[in-house]
Amino acid sequence: MTTRREHGRQVRGWLDGRVNSRQSSVVILGGGPGGYEAALVAAHLGAAVTVIDRDGLGGAAVLTDCVPSKTLISTADFMSQFETASDLGVHLEDHEGDEVADSVAELNAVNRRVLALAAAQSRDIGRRLDADGITVLRGTGRLLSPSQVEATLEDGSVRTLDAEVVLVSTGATPRVMASAQPDGERILTWQQIYSLPELPEHLVVVGSGVTGAELAQAYLGLGSRVTLVSSRDRVLPGEDADAATVIEDVFRKRGMEVLGRSRMASVERTDDGVVVRLEDGREVTGSHALLAVGSIPQTAGLGLAEVGVTLTESGHVSVDRVSRTSVRGVYAAGDCTGVLPLASVAAMQGRIAMAHALGDAVAPLNLRAVSANIFTDPEIATVGFSQKDLDDGTVDATGVMLPLATNPRAKMQGITDGFVKLFARKGVGTVVGGVVVAPKASELIYPVTLAVQHGLTVDQLAGTFTVYPSLSGSVAEAARQLHPTD
């Protein structure tokens, strides 16, 4: 365990090369979570801050990705409650068999709400930045040197900005393949789906990672027929295997066709739909295709390589744990760094960058304490070391998995799928990770994240009161079962 004195030396080691925040000028490229969170920290520390933003404050996370997709998913989740209502004794037909409720998704109305919420969130961010005296320029930025940024504004004018600190937070954009060109009508990226005028009759989703899995289930819940094309053995190949198995089983139970080990060769538009050709020669026809095959960093044309900033082969900006690039005074945060494509991580990187650059107390980014969530139904939430880490011997720990079906609150709510999995170091019982598969797992993972972040033991977690009945009771029960006995 790191002592306070050792921690102090470590923190001071990260402070080399910082500038005084008073009267410092900070220029930020990109107004997404990494950019606007960094701007708020820099302004609080007394710097003069300018944000150059092209697409709208909040970036893709607010305007075309996280906020819109999770709003869409929330609508689908609400509709799924009608499907399970009968299990709870609630019937949507009277005794004569006539329907007394009709749940139909009107996609135009759904998308209007989705986009309205995203726009409102963007406006809220703008008001917050304005209240803190932060200048926002609509346009694009390019580094002329490590201390000078050229801003090309919407009206065509060009400004040159001097900066003691530059933060690059330009995000990423959907990957597009030559054999599957989106047209925004029938073949779509996840940023284009909110312009659909009506619900797809048959949506073919290419890609079974987080984005593909989330949106496949969302459209299934809204009423589309959905086929999910996965190049791997199972959906969500990068996630806990037990969790991914639960989700794939749920997909199939609800009527989704999942094609495993099926790599896409091409996607083409037909007269009345699309055809997805697989590498083994099979063809999948549908009304629409959604491409979820990854993303690429938006780092081209920013002048980064020209000023000496190191980029990876994939085009991501190389950064250390306090968001420094290879060039003094230039920092980077968010999806353009490739560290971890989460809005929460982008925001933390941005905050850490400004604290480090402007002389405030700072601790390096700790990815082991990052909680992540996949907004399927049920959700998958994770933090810390994984089951694979245990199996590979990366960490000397043991684990326990409790099915939610035995939890009394889960029974009351008709929850049959899901579990709580907890990992703790052998002998000492320190909590090092966990997985929750449940409705609102994004909320249930929080106590596990607290335990991982602060080095709590399973006994401390188990000894904390939980409400009875509650789903969080299963977290405490898992901790009790991991009580060290040696």
Side-chain angles (χ1 to χ4, degrees):
M1 181 177 294
T2 303
T3 66
R4 182 175 297 178
R5 180 174 296 176
E6 289 169 337
H7 177 71
R9 286 199 297 267
Q10 181 187 48
V11 170
R12 285 192 295 275
W14 289 107
L15 304 185
D16 297 339
R18 301 195 301 181
V19 300
N20 191 314
S21 64
R22 299 301 168 187
Q23 306 304 315
S24 297
S25 57
V26 174
V27 175
I28 297 173
L29 277 62
Y36 74 75
E37 288 282 356
L40 292 170
V41 170
H44 178 73
L45 293 174
V49 185
T50 300
V51 176
I52 306 171
D53 180 72
R54 180 186 65 186
D55 300 321
L57 293 173
V62 169
L63 296 169
T64 59
D65 193 354
C66 292
V67 171
S69 65
K70 277 49 174 181
T71 306
L72 187 75
I73 290 165
S74 295
T75 304
D77 289 348
F78 179 80
M79 291 184 64
S80 71
Q81 295 176 26
F82 289 96
E83 297 178 11
T84 59
S86 61
D87 295 334
L88 307 182
V90 177
H91 298 278
L92 304 180
E93 296 177 345
D94 59 22
H95 295 297
E96 284 72 40
D98 296 325
E99 288 188 359
V100 296
D102 188 17
S103 59
V104 177
E106 295 182 0
L107 197 62
N108 259 327
V110 171
N111 283 340
R112 280 197 302 272
R113 177 175 180 267
V114 165
L115 296 176
L117 287 175
Q121 182 67 17
S122 181
R123 288 193 297 272
D124 288 344
I125 294 168
R127 282 191 285 267
R128 176 72 190 280
L129 296 184
D130 184 63
D132 282 20
I134 296 164
T135 300
V136 177
L137 302 178
R138 288 298 300 270
T140 59
R142 179 178 179 275
L143 273 71
L144 299 177
S145 74
S147 59
Q148 204 168 56
V149 175
E150 181 182 80
T152 302
L153 307 184
E154 278 187 329
D155 60 8
S157 63
V158 177
R159 291 176 58 179
T160 300
L161 307 173
D162 293 323
E164 293 169 79
V165 179
V166 175
L167 175 73
V168 179
S169 186
T170 48
T173 191
R175 179 184 174 213
V176 174
M177 304 170 67
S179 59
Q181 289 289 321
D183 60 14
E185 296 177 349
R186 294 282 182 174
I187 305 173
L188 308 124
T189 70
W190 69 79
Q191 292 184 338
Q192 298 171 328
I193 58 176
Y194 306 106
S195 60
L196 283 174
E198 58 186 20
L199 199 65
E201 179 185 347
H202 180 191
L203 180 65
V204 183
V205 179
V206 179
S208 63
V210 174
T211 301
E214 287 183 342
L215 292 175
Q217 192 172 50
Y219 279 97
L220 185 72
L222 291 171
S224 292
R225 177 186 168 196
V226 175
T227 297
L228 181 60
V229 177
S230 173
S231 63
R232 308 291 286 275
D233 292 344
R234 56 178 170 81
V235 301
L236 298 169
E239 302 303 319
D240 180 271
D242 293 319
T245 298
V246 169
I247 297 304
E248 187 164 337
D249 288 345
V250 169
F251 282 0
R252 296 183 191 276
K253 280 194 300 185
R254 295 182 182 175
M256 187 186 301
E257 183 180 13
V258 180
L259 302 179
R261 301 182 183 180
S262 302
R263 186 174 295 276
M264 180 270 291
S266 66
V267 181
E268 294 179 12
R269 183 167 176 169
T270 62
D271 291 340
D272 57 354
V274 297
V275 57
V276 178
R277 293 187 174 87
L278 307 180
E279 289 188 348
D280 61 10
R282 287 177 294 162
E283 294 185 353
V284 183
T285 58
S287 62
H288 297 75
L290 172 60
L291 307 177
V293 289
S295 60
I296 57 173
Q298 297 190 113
T299 54
L302 302 181
L304 297 175
E306 290 83 350
V307 302
V309 173
T310 299
L311 303 176
T312 67
E313 288 185 9
S314 60
H316 291 93
V317 183
S318 294
V319 294
D320 63 13
R321 291 174 60 204
V322 290
S323 304
R324 288 181 297 191
T325 70
S326 56
V327 174
R328 183 184 180 93
V330 180
Y331 293 73
D335 288 3
C336 67
T337 67
V339 171
L340 200 57
L342 297 172
S344 58
V345 172
M348 183 64 75
Q349 285 181 291
R351 290 191 292 263
I352 287 173
M354 290 303 103
H356 179 272
L358 299 176
D360 200 18
V362 65
L365 182 68
N366 177 17
L367 291 179
R368 284 296 178 193
V370 174
S371 55
N373 195 72
I374 301 173
F375 290 84
T376 47
D377 180 21
E379 297 176 358
I380 301 174
T382 57
V383 66
F385 286 100
S386 67
Q387 182 71 60
K388 186 176 184 299
D389 292 325
L390 268 68
D391 296 341
D392 293 346
T394 303
V395 59
D396 187 23
T398 186
V400 66
M401 184 170 75
L402 295 183
L404 277 185
T406 62
N407 179 290
R409 185 66 184 276
K411 289 186 176 76
M412 297 170 193
Q413 294 180 317
I415 298 170
T416 57
D417 300 298
F419 60 80
V420 170
K421 187 185 286 190
L422 205 60
F423 308 125
R425 290 191 185 277
K426 293 179 180 178
V428 294
T430 305
V431 179
V432 295
V435 182
V436 178
V437 180
K440 303 297 184 290
S442 49
E443 311 295 341
L444 287 171
I445 199 66
Y446 184 62
V448 184
T449 305
L450 278 174
V452 171
Q453 173 76 29
H454 298 289
L456 303 182
T457 66
V458 289
D459 289 345
Q460 290 173 313
L461 197 57
T464 302
F465 278 101
T466 59
V467 171
Y468 182 86
S470 67
L471 296 182
S472 59
S474 287
V475 177
E477 177 58 28
R480 278 190 286 274
Q481 293 194 19
L482 284 172
H483 171 69
T485 56
D486 295 334

